[in-house]
Amino acid sequence: MTIAAISTVAVSLFLLGGVIVIGHIVSNVVGKWEGKVELNVFLRDDITTAQHDQLTDAITAMPDVAQVFDVSKDQAYQEYRQMFAGSPTLIQNVDKSALPASFRVKLHNPSRVDVVRSQLVGRAGIDQVTYGGDAVKKLLRINALLRTISLVMTILLLTAATVLIANTIRLAIYARRREIGVMKLVGATNWFIRVPFIFEGVVEAVAGAIVAAAVIWLAKFLWLDRLQQFMAFLPLGITAATVTRMFVVLVVVGMSVGALGSTLALRRFLEV
């Protein structure tokens, strides 16, 4: 076991773990943004009880709809008062009856907002259906871009870590090629030679993964937790459970790459 091999594995998996953490943060932040996307279905003042009930059932039954909130005129007025609590003049100039009743509709997939809107527009009892228009579409495009960037970075760093770790193990085995040749000449089987090297590669990879996970765990307590306190409006969502899952991922990746790298590197030297 060499310090150089463990250090290489640790650095490679630390970079991979860092990207995984960033991807997790992006996913949480994007999820929070998308969770705020909703349709506002404003109702006509002359809507009948039967129409209201029919609309409630129809909207709830839509497969794209996750939740429906029924907002009465009184509730709309109370929300208006809370929103403009610091501007008494605005509250005094608006009569309770001026604010329409509405449905607030949350979707399973915010990107389907246009589809659901088109299914509601023109129905009896509905005055208008709004959702933010171009602003929501831009938000969804940004969210998709962030997710794509995060995924591409993870794949690239996973590939780079795999190649770097495998090459490090291959160099370590190359330095002992004479030893492997001698073992072959005295009659050792391929698996007799292969198993110790594979085990060594796995141990080096696991040791590097533990070091990488420890550094990330330390960074969580020294940096990420403080960042969350200063930026409470962003749901970073990096908990102890998150770091533990990431540690398992890094160990599994390290073991797999260590075993694979050792096996491939040995193939050349076993052909004696």
Side-chain angles (χ1 to χ4, degrees):
M1 186 185 302
T2 63
I3 299 299
I6 294 176
S7 300
T8 301
V9 174
V11 171
S12 301
L13 294 183
F14 170 74
L15 293 175
L16 176 61
V19 172
I20 293 175
V21 169
I22 293 173
H24 182 80
I25 292 173
V26 168
S27 179
N28 280 346
V29 172
V30 166
K32 181 178 180 180
W33 289 348
E34 290 185 346
K36 292 183 177 181
V37 175
E38 61 183 20
L39 279 168
N40 291 301
V41 183
F42 295 105
L43 307 178
R44 295 173 56 89
D45 289 338
D46 58 355
I47 187 174
T48 64
T49 302
Q51 288 174 331
H52 183 280
D53 293 341
Q54 288 174 358
L55 282 175
T56 302
D57 294 339
I59 296 173
T60 304
M62 289 181 175
D64 290 313
V65 172
Q67 288 179 299
V68 180
F69 301 95
D70 191 349
V71 182
S72 66
K73 281 179 168 289
D74 288 338
Q75 290 173 319
Y77 183 68
Q78 292 304 319
E79 290 178 0
Y80 179 83
R81 287 175 58 89
Q82 292 176 4
M83 186 181 301
F84 296 102
S87 304
T89 304
L90 291 176
I91 297 175
Q92 294 172 1
N93 291 337
V94 174
D95 187 73
K96 182 188 300 185
S97 61
L99 299 177
S102 65
F103 291 117
R104 287 181 186 158
V105 182
K106 288 189 174 293
L107 307 180
H108 292 294
N109 183 0
S111 64
R112 299 273 297 171
V113 66
D114 264 335
V115 176
V116 177
R117 180 182 181 277
S118 65
Q119 294 173 351
L120 294 174
V121 171
R123 292 201 179 196
I126 294 179
D127 184 21
Q128 60 178 325
V129 182
T130 64
Y131 66 91
D134 291 338
V136 169
K137 292 179 181 178
K138 288 180 181 178
L139 173 63
L140 294 176
R141 284 196 296 268
I142 292 172
N143 290 352
L145 177 62
L146 289 175
R147 283 199 173 102
T148 301
I149 291 174
S150 176
L151 178 61
V152 170
M153 287 179 64
T154 301
I155 293 173
L156 288 177
L157 272 180
L158 178 59
T159 304
T162 300
V163 172
L164 189 57
I165 293 170
N167 283 337
T168 300
I169 294 173
R170 186 178 292 111
L171 288 174
I173 293 175
Y174 178 78
R176 298 163 70 177
R177 64 191 182 282
R178 294 183 182 276
E179 178 183 339
I180 296 172
V182 171
M183 293 174 70
K184 283 288 293 180
L185 290 174
V186 298
T189 64
N190 286 345
W191 274 109
F192 182 84
I193 301 171
R194 185 180 287 128
V195 170
F197 284 101
I198 293 176
F199 181 75
E200 181 178 341
V202 169
V203 170
E204 290 175 351
V206 170
I210 292 173
V211 173
V215 173
I216 292 173
W217 185 281
L218 187 64
K220 171 193 173 338
F221 288 105
L222 296 181
W223 184 62
L224 289 177
D225 286 351
R226 295 182 181 180
L227 182 64
Q228 179 68 85
Q229 293 176 356
F230 286 110
M231 305 177 69
F233 59 92
L234 285 179
L236 301 183
I238 304 299
T239 63
T242 304
V243 178
T244 301
R245 287 195 298 270
M246 186 194 61
F247 168 71
V248 173
V249 171
L250 294 183
V251 169
V252 171
V253 170
M255 289 178 63
S256 302
V257 173
L260 182 61
S262 298
T263 302
L264 294 178
L266 281 167
R267 289 180 61 186
R268 173 184 174 187
F269 303 110
L270 290 178
E271 297 173 357
V272 176

